[in-house]
Amino acid sequence: MILEKDKIDWFTAMLEILGREKGVKYMRDLSRQNPMLRIGQTLITQLVAAGEIALQINANAVSVNRLKQKGAPIDWVAPGPLPGLMVGVGLVAQAPHPASARLFIDFLLSKEGQQLYQSAGRLVARSDLPQDESMKVRGAQIVPVDPAWAENFDEDSKLLKEIFSN
C-alpha cells in the first residue's frame, strides 16, 4: 500500500467525515499496516498503474481516470464517503494589479476558461458544460469540504506526521 504523506486536506477531511475519534483510530490502524509514504499524486498513481504498488490509499479519482483513459490497467473504488476537495482561486488584498487579477478570475470562471481547464482533464462544476462520462466520480458519496476545516490544518498536520512517521 502507498499513501501520499503530505495530503493534509485529505487527512483533515477524513477525520471530519468519519468523526474525529473514529477517524484518528482509523488512521492509527491504517499506519500499523505500514503503508509506503511518498510525495506526488501523479507519481504514486503511475507506480500503481505500472504494478509497482498494489493499492493507493488516498488516490485522486481524476488522476486515476486520466491514466485509465490512456489504457493503463488501473481503477478506483470508493470504500465510503469521500471528501470533495476543491481547487479555489483568490485575490490577495494588496495585489499589484487587482483589476487585471479580477479579469483573470472572471476568465477562469467563465465557460471558456472552464472549457480550457476541462481540456486538461480536470473536472469542472459548471452545469452548462458536458461532462466526460469516463471522468465522473461514479458511485462515490462526495462530502463537500467545509473551508472551516482548514482551521485544524496546523494541529492535523502534526497529527498526520505523528501517526504516519514510522
Side-chain angles (χ1 to χ4, degrees):
M1 289 190 301
I2 193 165
L3 173 76
E4 186 169 6
K5 71 177 193 172
D6 291 335
K7 289 289 291 175
I8 187 61
D9 52 353
W10 168 81
F11 183 80
T12 294
M14 291 305 294
L15 295 184
E16 293 293 331
I17 289 169
L18 296 171
R20 190 126 187 119
E21 186 176 323
K22 185 178 174 184
V24 169
K25 181 185 180 322
Y26 173 83
M27 295 298 177
R28 289 191 192 283
D29 289 347
L30 181 61
S31 76
R32 284 194 267 290
Q33 296 183 51
N34 297 316
M36 183 184 304
L37 305 175
R38 295 293 292 263
I39 296 174
Q41 190 64 233
T42 302
L43 169 66
I44 292 170
T45 305
Q46 288 171 342
L47 289 171
V48 174
E52 296 292 321
I53 306 291
L55 176 69
Q56 182 176 357
I57 297 166
N58 54 353
N60 175 309
V62 172
S63 296
V64 171
N65 286 344
R66 263 194 235 132
L67 286 178
K68 189 175 175 180
Q69 280 181 328
K70 294 177 181 176
I74 190 169
D75 207 349
W76 62 271
V77 296
L82 302 173
L85 302 173
M86 304 295 163
V87 175
V89 61
L91 175 60
V92 296
Q94 300 300 319
H97 304 286
S100 296
R102 282 191 293 276
L103 287 172
F104 182 65
I105 290 170
D106 284 346
F107 169 73
L108 286 176
L109 299 176
S110 72
K111 186 173 183 177
E112 181 184 5
Q114 290 293 284
Q115 285 171 320
L116 185 61
Y117 195 70
Q118 195 176 40
S119 73
R122 306 298 266 162
L123 295 173
V124 297
R126 288 188 67 105
S127 60
D128 59 344
L129 289 177
Q131 297 295 321
D132 180 342
E133 289 299 314
S134 67
M135 294 299 285
K136 284 194 174 178
V137 184
R138 73 208 180 288
Q141 177 191 350
I142 306 297
V143 177
V145 172
D146 182 342
W149 296 353
E151 293 174 12
N152 295 332
F153 274 13
D154 288 342
E155 175 187 338
D156 288 348
S157 182
K158 290 175 189 166
L159 184 59
L160 173 66
K161 286 181 177 108
E162 172 206 317
I163 291 173
F164 288 102
S165 292
N166 298 338

